[in-house]
Amino acid sequence: PPHMAGRDIKRLAILLPFSSKSERLRAEAASMLKAAEMAVFAREDADILLIALDTAGSVQGATVATRAAVKSGADVILGPVLSRAVKAASAEARKSQTPIIAFSSDQSAAGNGTYLLSFPPEAEVAKIVQYAISSGAQRFAFLGPDSRYGNLVNTAYRNSVQALGGVITANESYSGNDISVMQDPAKKIADYYIRHERRIQGRGRRAFEAIILPEGGTSLRSLAPLLPYFDVDPADVQFLGTGLWHNEDVVREPALNGGIFAGPPEDARKLFVTAYDQKFGEEPSQLASLAYDAVGVGTVIATGKPAGRRARAEDPAGFYGADGLIRFRSDGTPDRGFAVYQIQGGKFVVIEPAPRTATGPS
């Protein structure tokens, strides 16, 4: 563009499902584009050219959009959102060694120049397990859905507990989200806990000191009360959660009082939400902050010689944005700086602040 003549232009292509068959995805794409534009306008230098391309929410659409981005001279590609679309875009972008900052939480989509700017459940689980073990827990239990998300959390939970020297002593799951399918697994967990308590009579370690409940919303509010109903006291056993807990409805459930989970820092996101609302007169979508941060990260990666893009993406110092601190591992997966929250008296209270700067290797 004429107004950018003579500037060191950073070309960022953002690939989003603007014409997806899903109304939800179309709305998400529109909000993400607004957030990305907001990030561009917030810069003092008019040196970013944002190229918006439609993936239509499909694999073929992602491939075509990636080719168009490369042909347009994109230094960095931002997006796509869906896992299969990210994998298709990555295969195409590797031909030109164009780095991708994608929005999928599927960690199998990362690597070979594709970096995930997202919140994988595995990272949240690792953080909350580390906190629980540092607080003295050694024996853990799992009670959650037999679903893709539940199984993902279950595997990450097992790996994190074992890696830190803990042990999982009880593991129960259920199919569906109705309280009727939750009752029997919850009773089995509780029965095991009570039998163990009677056997040790306070002279040994409990059956488990912490239990994770990877549910959210109405399902979580149905599941959590079952444990105290079957005599597992939340005052004796630490209830653990995932990012699904970060919902205002959750704090109203008495059984979850004292429960903890890991998540991004709220202070940084509140600034973003306020700025977005002032500019567009509406609340941003769930993923809008990722698009906002992607512009900042992409600009850093695009600044300098192309040969140094990977090194800039994997800078151990990381990047700080609307969702807090993030840095990328060499395999493209995100290393997030999470805070630890506890539900106290109907409020989310930070009991361990998120880091603002990176320490140690990613």
Side-chain angles (χ1 to χ4, degrees):
H3 74 279
M4 301 181 79
R7 297 179 182 272
D8 179 18
I9 300 175
K10 290 84 175 174
R11 291 175 171 82
L12 307 180
I14 185 164
L15 279 55
L16 295 171
F18 297 111
S19 64
S20 169
K21 294 179 181 178
S22 166
E23 182 180 354
R24 181 185 65 82
L25 278 178
R26 293 197 303 272
E28 190 72 65
S31 185
M32 292 177 77
L33 180 59
K34 288 179 180 177
E37 292 172 339
M38 190 172 83
V40 171
F41 298 144
R43 284 182 61 82
E44 293 181 2
D45 297 327
D47 58 351
I48 300 176
L49 182 60
L50 189 65
I51 307 165
L53 296 167
D54 183 18
T55 66
S58 69
V59 169
Q60 182 180 1
T63 300
V64 172
T66 305
R67 288 174 184 163
V70 172
K71 188 175 180 180
S72 298
D75 298 302
V76 180
I77 293 172
L78 314 179
V81 175
L82 303 177
S83 176
R84 289 190 303 164
V86 172
K87 291 176 181 179
S90 298
E92 191 65 33
R94 277 197 293 273
K95 298 175 184 177
S96 59
Q97 296 187 323
T98 305
I100 290 181
I101 307 298
F103 306 123
S104 170
S105 61
D106 180 1
Q107 296 194 99
S108 69
N112 297 312
T114 295
Y115 302 92
L116 301 184
L117 189 70
S118 56
F119 298 97
E122 296 94 330
E124 298 170 354
V125 170
K127 174 62 180 178
I128 203 60
V129 168
Q130 178 271 325
Y131 181 86
I133 286 182
S134 70
S135 300
Q138 284 295 316
R139 299 163 72 83
F140 293 78
F142 173 94
L143 178 60
D146 182 10
S147 62
R148 183 180 179 278
Y149 179 81
N151 294 332
L152 194 68
V153 170
N154 201 349
T155 299
Y157 189 59
R158 182 173 61 251
N159 292 341
S160 297
V161 169
Q162 291 176 351
L164 293 172
V167 60
I168 293 180
T169 61
N171 192 310
E172 294 290 340
S173 58
Y174 49 83
S175 296
N177 55 13
D178 186 80
I179 191 171
S180 62
V181 301
M182 299 173 179
Q183 287 176 327
D184 187 54
K187 190 173 188 307
K188 287 180 180 178
I189 285 268
D191 286 348
Y192 167 72
Y193 179 83
I194 293 167
R195 285 196 308 270
H196 186 88
E197 286 291 289
R198 288 171 179 166
R199 188 167 63 249
I200 65 171
Q201 296 182 342
R203 294 191 297 270
R205 299 191 74 92
R206 288 194 166 91
F208 47 85
E209 293 118 354
I211 183 168
I212 194 167
L213 309 175
E215 285 281 19
T218 303
S219 296
L220 177 60
R221 296 179 68 186
S222 297
L223 178 64
L226 290 175
L227 291 171
Y229 177 78
F230 291 125
D231 294 327
V232 176
D233 191 343
D236 295 328
V237 176
Q238 179 65 69
F239 285 15
L240 310 177
T242 66
L244 296 181
W245 281 31
H246 211 166
N247 183 298
E248 291 302 324
D249 290 339
V250 168
V251 298
R252 294 198 293 269
E253 173 50 56
L256 293 172
N257 192 53
I260 60 175
F261 65 95
E266 283 191 319
D267 52 353
R269 180 169 176 82
K270 283 180 178 177
L271 292 174
F272 163 74
V273 171
T274 299
Y276 186 99
D277 180 54
Q278 288 176 345
K279 189 165 188 65
F280 302 111
E282 61 188 32
E283 288 191 4
S285 67
Q286 183 180 4
L287 302 182
S289 58
L290 297 183
Y292 182 87
D293 284 352
V295 170
V297 174
T299 301
V300 173
I301 296 173
T303 302
K305 295 181 179 179
R309 287 172 180 165
R310 185 157 188 161
R312 292 191 290 273
E314 298 171 18
D315 185 347
F319 310 88
Y320 196 88
D323 286 315
L325 179 68
I326 184 172
R327 52 183 180 171
F328 300 111
R329 302 182 182 93
S330 59
D331 64 359
T333 57
D335 179 15
R336 281 279 182 186
F338 288 118
V340 176
Y341 296 88
Q342 185 171 50
I343 298 174
Q344 296 180 8
K347 295 180 180 179
F348 294 123
V349 177
V350 175
I351 56 175
E352 181 177 283
R356 294 190 65 88
T357 56
T359 56
S362 61

